[in-house]
Amino acid sequence: MALTGLFLISFLVVHVGLNACIWANDNGEMFNKAAQFMGDTIVVRIMEVGLFIGFIIHIIQGYVLESKNLGRRGKGYKINLANKGSKWYSRTMGLLGTLLLLFLIMHINHFWIHSRLGDVGSIQPLSEVIYPSNPNKHYHNLYALMIETFSGQLLVVTLYVVGCISLAYHLLHGFQSAFRTLGLHNRKYLGIVRGLGIGFSILVPLTFAMMPVSIYLKWIE
Ligand code: HEM
């Protein structure tokens, strides 16, 4: 779980960085170019397959671990130590992971299905991008799709924010836990990793959450 978790964390860094191009205020040009570069690069496409495999392994391992823990624990602890024993989000990693899985199903359906499997031109109103340098190739306008997905859609925006909050708590435990599992027990380094983990768990989900919120509030159009 630690290895697949760290792999998925590295994906989040790329994903959040690329998506942050929507704030360039250039009508989505930078973001679309970056997304098209990813779509056109063979190494990235191969890594995409690895990414989906990574997600599937991580999810299966998570549920196996959760059921083993429940099995060992039986009906629960005799004395409930609550937050003295561990943090609530460490004890609810299975639930947080399930919320993230539901978020992912919705999210893949919103974007990936369109961009990889849908017809170019199926997205309204600005459906495709054509560059003068390569007029024969028509690209999906993912920026337009993002604007369409979140504009005036309070329920969708709320579900994305809830997904990002689940991600924050999942990472708050998962980030430092992955390093411990891989054998990092030195007090000094563990302190650094814990600090990095807290920073990452706040910054990345907050940046993600600000994307639908910025579009909903028309900070970007
Ligand atoms: C909340 C703001 C987010 C926005 C606006 C967003 C937007 C997008 C877009 C536009 C794509 C399609 C990229 C393409 O097909 O080229 C995509 C793909 C994807 N996103 Fe997100 N995303 C967000 C958050 C997340 C989070 C939090 C996760 C994971 C926990 C995630 C996981 C994925 C995955 C697995 C894919 C498909 C893989 C791929 O395209 O290579 N996204 N996202």
Side-chain angles (χ1 to χ4, degrees):
M1 285 220 80
L3 288 177
T4 48
L6 287 176
F7 173 59
L8 296 175
I9 282 174
S10 69
F11 157 74
L12 285 179
V13 175
V14 177
H15 193 22
V16 80
L18 195 148
N19 281 16
C21 297
I22 61 168
W23 285 300
N25 227 351
D26 60 355
N27 210 13
E29 209 178 309
M30 193 201 272
F31 169 73
N32 272 337
K33 276 198 178 142
Q36 282 141 22
F37 168 77
M38 302 295 272
D40 278 348
T41 311
I42 188 74
V43 179
V44 179
R45 298 306 293 269
I46 294 169
M47 281 176 73
E48 199 174 72
V49 178
L51 176 70
F52 280 102
I53 295 173
F55 265 113
I56 292 167
I57 296 176
H58 192 77
I59 291 163
I60 294 173
Q61 284 172 323
Y63 282 123
V64 169
L65 192 68
E66 189 75 3
S67 72
K68 271 190 189 161
N69 285 345
L70 284 175
R72 270 196 213 115
R73 219 183 284 151
K75 283 182 183 159
Y77 294 112
K78 275 189 181 159
I79 303 167
N80 189 356
L81 286 173
N83 272 348
K84 280 182 198 147
S86 57
K87 296 278 188 236
W88 69 266
Y89 48 81
S90 302
R91 297 190 303 273
T92 47
M93 285 298 274
L95 175 66
L96 290 168
T98 304
L99 289 177
L100 276 175
L101 177 59
L102 294 176
F103 164 80
L104 265 183
I105 294 169
M106 170 182 75
H107 181 50
I108 294 291
N109 190 42
H110 276 148
F111 296 107
W112 190 85
I113 296 273
H114 277 285
S115 90
R116 295 288 189 263
L117 308 178
D119 284 340
V120 174
S122 62
I123 310 157
Q124 295 299 327
L126 288 161
S127 52
E128 54 188 12
V129 189
I130 305 164
Y131 294 102
S133 56
N134 189 4
N136 294 328
K137 182 131 193 196
H138 295 211
Y139 289 96
H140 287 275
N141 188 341
L142 277 178
Y143 182 76
L145 178 59
M146 244 201 230
I147 301 285
E148 192 184 273
T149 305
F150 300 125
S151 293
Q153 303 290 338
L154 185 59
L155 179 64
V156 177
V157 173
T158 308
L159 291 175
Y160 268 72
V161 171
V162 171
C164 292
I165 294 171
S166 311
L167 177 66
Y169 281 110
H170 198 73
L171 286 171
L172 216 46
H173 172 85
F175 191 102
Q176 49 98 21
S177 171
F179 286 93
R180 278 174 193 251
T181 303
L182 294 177
L184 186 83
H185 295 297
N186 177 300
R187 271 188 181 207
K188 190 173 120 196
Y189 293 123
L190 208 54
I192 296 172
V193 167
R194 208 175 277 144
L196 273 177
I198 293 172
F200 188 90
S201 312
I202 295 171
L203 192 68
V204 171
L206 185 65
T207 311
F208 270 130
M210 286 317 291
M211 292 168 191
V213 170
S214 300
I215 293 171
Y216 185 78
L217 296 178
K218 296 194 186 305
W219 292 343
I220 38 177
E221 291 183 81

